[in-house]
Amino acid sequence: FKINEDVAELNNQQQIIVDRLTRGSSQLDTVSIVGMPGIGKTTLVNKVYHDPEVVYYFHIRVMCNVSQVYTKRDLWLKVLWHIIELTDNILTMTNEDLELVLDKHLKKNRYLIILDDVWSIRPWNDLKSSFPEDTNGCGVLITSHLHDMVSKLTLECNILKLCPLSDAENWELLQRKVYPKEDCP
């Protein structure tokens, strides 16, 4: 992903999410971004993931794409890949042992888990028992295009709905893309 992608109006939304994650509850906090496909959810979470305030605040940061088709085991391994080296020993562990390893490495750490492109409540149910609640300000950030689904996982006040750009914002973005160093004639 290009981190400095030229996207209109994402900086303000980025700061809102960063504030919710870093200044929110001491309990495990879930924040969701919802919007139609292609609107910029993944770009926005990428910017949040690399935000200096987030990098400083969280001991462990994980970003993984869930997608429509996944397995619980692959999801655990994707999360663990960001935290530890995946040795042959870990790759051959049972699912129960992988869950314990994940819990052990997250415990007593302030962590941020980003689950991108979630299509159902299943990935959250598969992972949530591995997320210790140490009351130290951990967070989970979920992106989806399904508002009904994320409303089951996230308080309504922690759901950010991305809307399409206005005609003026679209025009401004097009001009910046076509004429990056000069004014549009």
Side-chain angles (χ1 to χ4, degrees):
F1 299 102
K2 287 170 41 180
I3 302 308
N4 292 323
E5 206 169 316
D6 189 10
V7 180
E9 292 301 311
L10 287 186
N11 288 339
N12 184 39
Q13 294 165 332
Q14 175 183 343
Q15 193 56 52
I16 290 169
I17 295 169
V18 169
D19 290 345
R20 285 185 187 167
L21 291 170
T22 60
R23 293 177 181 88
S25 167
S26 62
Q27 303 297 319
L28 179 62
D29 218 1
T30 305
V31 175
S32 291
I33 302 170
V34 67
M36 62 188 239
I39 200 160
K41 297 179 298 292
T42 300
T43 299
L44 181 56
V45 296
N46 236 325
K47 291 170 77 75
V48 169
Y49 182 83
H50 291 92
D51 186 282
E53 197 172 339
V54 168
V55 172
Y56 176 78
Y57 183 78
F58 292 102
H59 306 126
I60 295 173
R61 295 173 306 123
V62 172
M63 182 170 170
C64 60
N65 184 283
V66 178
S67 195
Q68 210 168 358
V69 180
Y70 79 97
T71 66
K72 184 189 299 190
R73 180 178 187 79
D74 286 343
L75 197 50
W76 277 327
L77 289 171
K78 281 181 183 181
V79 172
L80 281 169
W81 177 82
H82 287 273
I83 303 169
I84 59 174
E85 182 181 349
L86 297 182
T87 63
D88 288 339
N89 183 36
I90 290 173
L91 293 172
T92 57
M93 285 182 171
T94 66
N95 286 353
E96 293 77 19
D97 289 339
L98 284 175
E99 186 174 12
L100 292 173
V101 168
L102 180 56
D103 178 75
K104 175 185 158 211
H105 282 88
L106 293 177
K107 198 173 274 316
K108 299 205 183 349
N109 282 300
R110 190 177 304 131
Y111 58 86
L112 171 63
I113 309 291
I114 297 175
L115 301 175
D116 188 32
D117 196 22
V118 177
W119 286 67
S120 77
I121 202 166
R122 261 186 57 231
W124 172 252
N125 289 337
D126 289 344
L127 285 174
K128 72 179 174 184
S129 62
S130 301
F131 298 158
E133 295 198 37
D134 292 334
T135 66
N136 59 356
C138 299
V140 176
L141 179 55
I142 297 170
T143 72
S144 180
H145 67 277
L146 304 169
H147 185 275
D148 291 345
M149 188 271 303
V150 296
S151 64
K152 295 174 185 170
L153 309 173
T154 310
L155 296 173
E156 194 63 36
C157 64
N158 281 346
I159 297 176
L160 177 65
K161 298 173 193 148
L162 292 186
C163 299
L165 298 175
S166 69
D167 288 345
E169 291 167 330
N170 277 316
W171 178 243
E172 179 186 341
L173 182 59
L174 178 63
Q175 288 179 85
R176 283 195 302 214
K177 288 292 188 181
V178 176
Y179 299 101
K181 295 180 179 156
E182 57 192 76
D183 286 339
C184 179

